[in-house]
Amino acid sequence: MLKPGSTIGILGGGQLGRMLAMAAAQLGYRCIAYAPEKDPVAGDVCADLFTNDWHDAKAMAAFAQKCDVITWEFENVPVEPLAPLTQRLAPHPRALETAQDRVLEKRFVENLGGRPAPWKAVDDRGDLMEAIERIGTPGILKTRRDGYDGKGQWRMASARDAEGFNRTGTPLVYEGLVAFEAEFSVILVRGKDGAVRYWDSPHNVHESGILARSSLPAPAVVTEQVESARALAKQVADALDYVGVLTCEFFATRQGPVFNEMAPRVHNSGHWTIEGAATSQFENHIRAICGLPLGDTATTGSAVAMENIIGKAAAKAHAFLADPDAHLHLYGKATAREGRKMGHVTRVTHG
């Protein structure tokens, strides 16, 4: 159990790291970030900031020397430079290795008895044509690595779309489209002692591949499948000996939940927990990695809705403050690019 005043290292400098650092401060911890990017917003609320390259071994060692425990805020942190840090990392980097490669992730979940969308690894156009023939269209062609928020994805409406596709040298995976009635996520926290707690599963709505809204209570088609989805998510967490917050995204279908992907971190669809749950995902992640008792995950309102603020919409975000039920979070990003998450607003209804 880490005593107050200990230092938590955060790998990555985005809004998730920012909110983790804010939660850590409430529990008496200081945070430092390692984020080789321009103007990392997590750095605004951290006691120190390293902006060196991920593969700068000397800088990484100096960063680790200052930390009592190290975690990450996004799943594309390179695994290789983390080898010397393994004893201080929570979760274990095996979670990163699994989530960073869509093929490894799907095989891992299938071995646990989970059901992802029909898929096939694609290394060349021949593989793609074979995948389309076997799985059919429409489908989605995705990069095996580094894809998020709809990036690195191409929709294949028919075999004709594949004929002119040229992505030589990039490992891909082809997935058949799932006929789903709703999307939802299972967000859990697992402690060092193996204890697991779940937040209520929100109904998630995506627009252009980006999460637009998460809301509770979820429709019946979701709530009826949550128990089964939770069972698989717990198997994932246990198999990885996971510590911290883990998110698994699912499609609710007439045949039951279909696994979409996992995120070994706090998640956008859990932002509502800051105001809408007894303990937020950010606080519980800090509790877990520091060896503290896990907090209650119960939803505190009768209804909760979280809406992302995307791109230029951030310029008018302060207008939300006229609504007494609105809780506004802006992430301090200077540039409002199209499709960039600039903040979120949450509304909690009581009674």
Side-chain angles (χ1 to χ4, degrees), residues 28-102:
Y29 299 114
R30 66 193 298 272
C31 289
I32 65 175
Y34 195 108
E37 57 192 76
K38 184 179 180 181
D39 300 325
V41 295
D44 294 344
V45 295
C46 287
D48 198 2
L49 174 65
F50 287 70
T51 56
N52 308 77
D53 185 87
W54 289 119
H55 297 274
D56 186 334
K58 185 176 180 180
M60 188 67 79
F63 167 77
Q65 191 63 36
K66 293 188 172 187
C67 302
D68 296 291
V69 66
I70 301 171
T71 193
W72 59 77
E73 61 103 40
F74 81 125
E75 64 269 44
N76 290 326
V77 177
V79 174
E80 183 181 351
L82 304 184
L85 284 58
T86 299
Q87 295 305 313
R88 298 190 192 188
L89 278 171
H92 191 281
R94 70 172 68 90
L96 285 180
E97 293 176 320
T98 304
Q100 284 178 359
D101 187 314
R102 295 183 192 276

Side-chain angles (χ1 to χ4, degrees), residues 28 53 84 166 223 235 268 284 310 336 342:
D53 185 87
N166 184 12
T223 58
Q235 283 185 279
N268 193 177
N284 255 342
I310 307 294
M342 303 297 291

Side-chain angles (χ1 to χ4, degrees), residues 265-288:
R265 54 169 171 80
V266 290
H267 194 259
N268 193 177
S269 66
H271 289 356
W272 64 270
T273 63
I274 298 173
E275 289 86 21
T279 311
S280 78
Q281 63 168 346
F282 300 101
E283 180 178 330
N284 255 342
H285 186 80
I286 298 299
R287 288 189 185 211

Side-chain angles (χ1 to χ4, degrees), residues 61-276:
F63 167 77
Q65 191 63 36
K66 293 188 172 187
C67 302
D68 296 291
V69 66
I70 301 171
T71 193
W72 59 77
E73 61 103 40
F74 81 125
E75 64 269 44
N76 290 326
V77 177
V79 174
E80 183 181 351
L82 304 184
L85 284 58
T86 299
Q87 295 305 313
R88 298 190 192 188
L89 278 171
H92 191 281
R94 70 172 68 90
L96 285 180
E97 293 176 320
T98 304
Q100 284 178 359
D101 187 314
R102 295 183 192 276
V103 169
L104 293 181
E105 179 185 69
K106 293 176 188 299
R107 287 174 179 160
F108 174 73
V109 167
E110 285 178 333
N111 287 337
L112 294 174
R115 182 165 60 103
W119 65 277
K120 183 183 183 331
V122 171
D123 293 316
D124 54 40
R125 202 169 72 85
D127 286 341
L128 177 57
M129 299 307 293
E130 182 182 333
I132 289 175
E133 182 178 352
R134 176 159 64 86
I135 298 173
T137 55
I140 302 288
L141 187 64
K142 302 179 179 179
T143 55
R144 282 180 62 164
R145 291 180 172 271
D146 298 332
Y148 66 97
D149 285 348
K151 298 176 177 66
Q153 300 186 13
W154 301 270
R155 185 183 177 96
M156 298 285 152
S158 68
R160 217 171 345 189
D161 291 335
E163 292 175 0
F165 188 84
N166 184 12
R167 194 80 179 180
T168 305
T170 302
L172 305 166
V173 61
Y174 181 77
E175 300 177 7
L177 280 190
V178 175
F180 63 88
E181 298 183 39
E183 296 178 83
F184 68 99
S185 48
V186 171
I187 309 170
L188 64 80
V189 60
R190 186 176 187 272
K192 290 187 175 182
D193 60 355
V196 173
R197 294 189 180 183
Y198 307 89
W199 284 271
D200 286 336
S201 287
H203 176 209
N204 299 327
V205 176
H206 290 79
E207 296 175 1
S208 300
I210 302 173
L211 181 67
R213 292 176 298 280
S214 293
S215 58
L216 289 165
V221 68
V222 170
T223 58
E224 291 165 1
Q225 299 185 21
V226 163
E227 184 177 354
S228 177
R230 282 183 174 181
L232 177 60
K234 185 178 186 300
Q235 283 185 279
V236 169
D238 289 342
L240 294 171
D241 195 18
Y242 196 89
V243 175
V245 170
L246 171 72
T247 306
C248 292
E249 296 182 76
F250 291 89
F251 300 113
T253 76
R254 293 182 179 180
Q255 293 74 41
V258 172
F259 174 86
N260 182 22
E261 61 185 15
M262 62 178 275
R265 54 169 171 80
V266 290
H267 194 259
N268 193 177
S269 66
H271 289 356
W272 64 270
T273 63
I274 298 173
E275 289 86 21

